[in-house]
Amino acid sequence: MVKQEVRPGIWRISFEWRANPQARTNEVYVINGQEKTLIVDTSKPEVVPFDLLLEAIDSTGAHLANAEVVLTHRHLDHVGNANGFINAGFPVFALEQEPYAPCNEVDSSYFLDLAGVPELHRDCFSSSYIEMSFCHDLNNGAIFHIEDSACVNVAPYNFLVVETPGHSLDSCCLYDPDSKVLLAGDTIAAGFIPPVNTTMPDMDKIDKYAGSLCALQALDVDLCLTGHGNPIAGREDYKAQISAIQGAYRRRLNKSFDIVRNAEGVIDAYTLADVYLSGRGKRSDVSKYYYVSHISMMLSYLEYLYEQGLAARQIVDGRAQYCLNRYASCRPLFRES
């Protein structure tokens, strides 16, 4: 565990996350105001048990008798300890929940059908789908909803809620214009490109993510506190990281477009993942999470091509199949302004 006061009263508590070599660390932020404490995200018990997390928060001088929690989004690594806070009487806030594909520990067939995963390989994917990120046992009924542009006052800080759909549809950031501090969740990451995973059709997540990045690019930010990794300090580095994310998605969408264009007949997310990841090792050589995550990312790319009118889509027996629109005359664009 690393504990660091990054601004007066703002603490970053960083936990090593060995199971995820890309993200590496899982961050929880504590903002101690004059009379109140705000806790942003909760990590998950596999990374840090709730009791140890609460001890770490208390050691920053937190006002635990007058503290509340804001979740930047409902992925497991950010909300895994949220039930612990709820059960301990802390008010917990988040944007309205994103819809997910029907799924439980026994049956993940909806997503597997949609992505075109063959029966032969379902044993590999079924057991790991539930682990993919989604926290299905979160007590959503006890979570209070916050809205875009709402104020979260922790004097001397006054954060605005900025709705930033994309990485998930229920993602938000917290921005204080006076201190120019942004708590970014996973909308912006340090050292890697945040994934956009889709488990259902017609979610329009990549286009929403492009709009969210444009909105964040317009903010005057001196310190960006991300959900994973070191803080991003300074306006130039902050804008450079957003530009890097935009460039990565532009390249990924162009590569997906080319694969669809060169495919013989229709293509699904499972096939696109196999072609896209060709040369990066056989399926048996990497984690199940890696492949499940990438297949849901490929579904995002295919859906974006469909939403932009560059690909046609038909869903047959639950399987989403795509082919290049015969009228497509340009490569996909990822909005950058």
Side-chain angles (χ1 to χ4, degrees):
M1 179 184 75
V2 175
K3 192 169 59 176
Q4 174 189 14
E5 190 173 22
V6 295
R7 285 285 175 89
I10 301 181
W11 290 84
R12 170 196 175 212
I13 308 178
S14 181
F15 301 95
E16 185 179 13
W17 190 11
R18 295 181 181 178
N20 191 326
Q22 185 180 51
R24 297 190 183 90
T25 62
N26 206 187
E27 320 302 321
V28 174
Y29 293 98
V30 181
I31 298 93
N32 293 323
Q34 294 160 356
E35 299 179 351
K36 175 183 173 182
T37 288
L38 174 66
I39 301 162
V40 180
D41 288 336
T42 72
S43 188
K44 61 178 183 175
E46 294 83 357
V47 174
V48 53
F50 173 71
D51 291 347
L52 294 182
L53 174 60
L54 202 58
E55 283 182 20
I57 292 171
D58 190 28
S59 70
T60 68
H63 309 288
L64 291 183
N66 187 23
E68 59 190 35
V69 179
V70 171
L71 306 174
T72 60
H73 60 299
R74 285 178 172 82
H75 284 174
L76 179 60
D77 51 317
H78 293 259
V79 305
N81 279 310
N83 284 348
F85 284 100
I86 292 169
N87 295 336
F90 291 82
V92 177
F93 297 83
L95 291 181
E96 188 174 355
Q97 185 179 16
E98 171 180 339
Y100 294 122
C103 173
N104 55 52
E105 292 187 12
V106 177
D107 181 16
S108 54
S109 59
Y110 179 92
F111 169 71
L112 298 172
D113 287 343
L114 191 69
V117 177
E119 291 290 340
L120 179 65
H121 294 137
R122 294 212 170 189
D123 286 346
C124 174
F125 293 112
S126 297
S127 61
S128 59
Y129 176 73
I130 193 68
E131 303 165 3
M132 194 178 123
S133 287
F134 313 126
C135 187
H136 292 273
D137 63 351
L138 180 63
N139 186 2
N140 281 295
I143 293 178
F144 298 95
H145 287 170
I146 53 174
E147 303 291 337
D148 184 45
S149 301
C151 292
V152 182
N153 185 266
V154 197
Y157 299 101
N158 191 27
F159 291 96
L160 297 174
V161 176
V162 182
E163 189 174 0
T164 53
H167 176 69
S168 71
L169 292 184
D170 54 10
S171 286
C172 71
C173 299
L174 298 176
Y175 174 60
D176 177 31
D178 293 334
S179 66
K180 302 177 182 178
V181 171
L182 178 76
L183 292 120
D186 281 356
T187 302
I188 300 173
F192 70 98
I193 305 302
V196 174
N197 304 97
T198 292
T199 60
M200 297 173 65
D202 303 315
M203 296 179 78
D204 198 22
K205 291 179 76 171
I206 287 186
D207 192 54
K208 288 183 172 70
Y209 188 43
S212 296
L213 290 175
C214 291
L216 293 181
Q217 203 169 32
L219 299 180
D220 188 7
V221 173
D222 268 345
L223 181 65
C224 177
L225 303 175
T226 66
H228 304 282
N230 294 322
I232 302 171
R235 293 179 182 85
E236 295 306 314
D237 286 351
Y238 168 73
K239 291 185 179 294
Q241 183 59 19
I242 293 178
S243 294
I245 296 169
Q246 291 169 328
Y249 271 92
R250 185 174 60 251
R251 292 189 296 273
R252 292 175 180 186
L253 290 168
N254 283 335
K255 182 174 180 177
S256 300
F257 177 82
D258 289 339
I259 293 171
V260 174
R261 180 172 56 186
N262 295 326
E264 296 182 2
V266 296
I267 192 169
D268 54 35
Y270 177 83
T271 306
L272 177 60
D274 253 11
V275 178
Y276 194 103
L277 299 173
S278 176
R280 298 195 195 182
K282 296 179 181 179
R283 189 175 297 105
S284 58
D285 296 333
V286 297
S287 70
K288 295 175 182 179
Y289 175 92
Y290 179 89
Y291 269 102
V292 175
S293 179
H294 273 79
I295 288 171
S296 62
M297 287 168 60
M298 298 301 126
L299 187 58
S300 292
Y301 303 160
L302 290 169
E303 279 291 296
Y304 183 80
L305 297 180
Y306 168 69
E307 291 151 3
Q308 297 299 307
L310 298 175
R313 183 192 73 192
Q314 58 179 353
I315 300 178
V316 179
D317 295 329
R319 174 185 171 219
Q321 304 170 325
Y322 303 81
C323 64
L324 196 68
N325 191 322
R326 70 179 66 183
Y327 302 109
S329 59
C330 62
R331 295 165 72 82
L333 296 176
F334 185 81
R335 286 188 288 147
E336 298 183 23
S337 62

